Amino acid sequence: MNVTRLGFAHFRNLRDGEIRPCDTINVIYGSNAQGKTNLLEAVWLFTGGHSFRGAKDGELPVLENGRNAALASLTMTVFTEGREQELQLLFKNGRRESVINGVEKRTGSALVGKFCAVIFSPEHLLLVKEGPARRRAFIDGALCQMKPAFARVLTNYNKALAQRNALLKDILRHPELRDTLDIWDQRLILFGTEVILERIAFCRALAPKASEIYGGIAKEKERVSFSYAPFGGANTREEIAAKFFSALKSAQSTDIRTGFTSAGPHRDDLSIEINGLSARTYGSQGQQRSIVLALKLAEADILFQKTGERPVILLDDVMSELDMSRRDYLLNHLDGRQVFITCCDPETVRLMERGRGFFVENGHVKNTVLETDSVVQ
Ligand SMILES: Nc1ncnc2c1ncn2[C@@H]1O[C@H](COP(=O)(O)OP(=O)(O)OP(=O)(O)O)[C@@H](O)[C@H]1O
């Protein structure tokens, strides 16, 4: 899928205008605080998701005398399902409305599934830098996008976990309740096994793709490996359920003492190593950035395989800390994908072999002419 036009009015500092991106690389450049990320955020919001910067819908219309205006609107023409489709998003008095091919929808979430994108923002570096929760959230987020049924299983698992944890705390005061723990163990194993099986299947598809993409970014100088191996590498439904059961049993006394369930998919991790060493502990800034990029691009490839539509790739401030050859990979080797990249350095535009540049200054966006792709201003 490709964005062929993006219009904006009163959206953050972007007053009124439009851009016509190309179907390859679109570099959005300019000094700090001019509106580059705002433009990327405008594209992202058509996924139906929340702002990747954590902003509330009421904060998105332009500020006027210190208060957000009542209305902001975004329009997008996107080529998907073999034809151009018109999408509109309105942020009205703190609420979202959407219009799909002229049909008004009361919610913004009606857009989910119409437009698909993968976003990298500096915050995503925490995926490598922080603890396992970030990596689990990445896997689960990707699975929820691909399989709505997974979201239900995950919710059921989390509910069973919360109830088991509440019971563990009660058992300390009422030891006779210990017998009822079995019921929650069974539910936890039932849903937890399904969560683990889906994560294993996703990681099996993700790991080789991400390693291959990393090889391209790092010009094969380093080898990166990804591994998700819960319960020491259990694979089948029966094996996982059996190992989960014995892990819960052997940790039962500790769990009652701490009031917390210590085994299960809520403790799993996706291990990431560069040349056999933990990327979290030993990876450089550039290596960690390249790993997150590889994971995001691999996620996009898997989404493409599942849906038949290539998600649009949004890369916010990805160039800093990447050397020339890594920049060259992003600008010139992501064939077949529509990419939007923000950066401060105008030189980046000149490194592109093919693509379009958009210069952003104080909320105004100008198309710039490249030698290889002349663009109407
Ligand atoms: N609701 C709003 N109304 C008006 N201006 C806003 C609103 N929200 C954010 N801004 C302004 O948008 C600008 C920031 O834009 P953005 O985050 O896109 O910057 P950027 O060009 O990506 O900068 P950097 O390179 O520093 O990341 C700031 O000047 C900020 O004050």
Side-chain angles (χ1 to χ4, degrees), residues 298-317:
E299 178 195 355
D301 282 0
I302 295 171
L303 270 167
F304 172 47
Q305 272 176 356
K306 292 270 172 211
T307 62
E309 292 278 357
R310 271 203 188 277
V312 172
I313 313 274
L314 306 174
L315 306 176
D316 188 22
D317 196 14

Side-chain angles (χ1 to χ4, degrees), residues 117-159:
V118 167
I119 173 84
F120 168 96
S121 76
E123 171 148 323
H124 289 115
L125 289 171
L126 299 176
L127 215 158
V128 178
K129 287 176 189 283
E130 276 201 349
R134 292 268 176 186
R135 290 180 284 282
R136 287 195 300 271
F138 164 70
I139 298 171
D140 294 345
L143 279 166
C144 287
Q145 266 207 69
M146 279 182 280
K147 292 188 162 191
F150 177 80
R152 286 194 289 279
V153 178
L154 191 63
T155 304
N156 287 336
Y157 178 79
N158 286 330
K159 275 187 194 158

Side-chain angles (χ1 to χ4, degrees), residues 12-13 15 30-39 53 59-63 68 316-317 344:
R12 290 204 188 257
N13 75 334
R15 296 294 164 141
S31 303
N32 291 130
Q34 299 303 307
K36 303 183 299 294
T37 307
N38 294 345
L39 204 58
R53 296 195 279 183
E59 293 163 356
L60 299 175
V62 64
L63 282 168
N68 291 97
D316 188 22
D317 196 14
C344 292

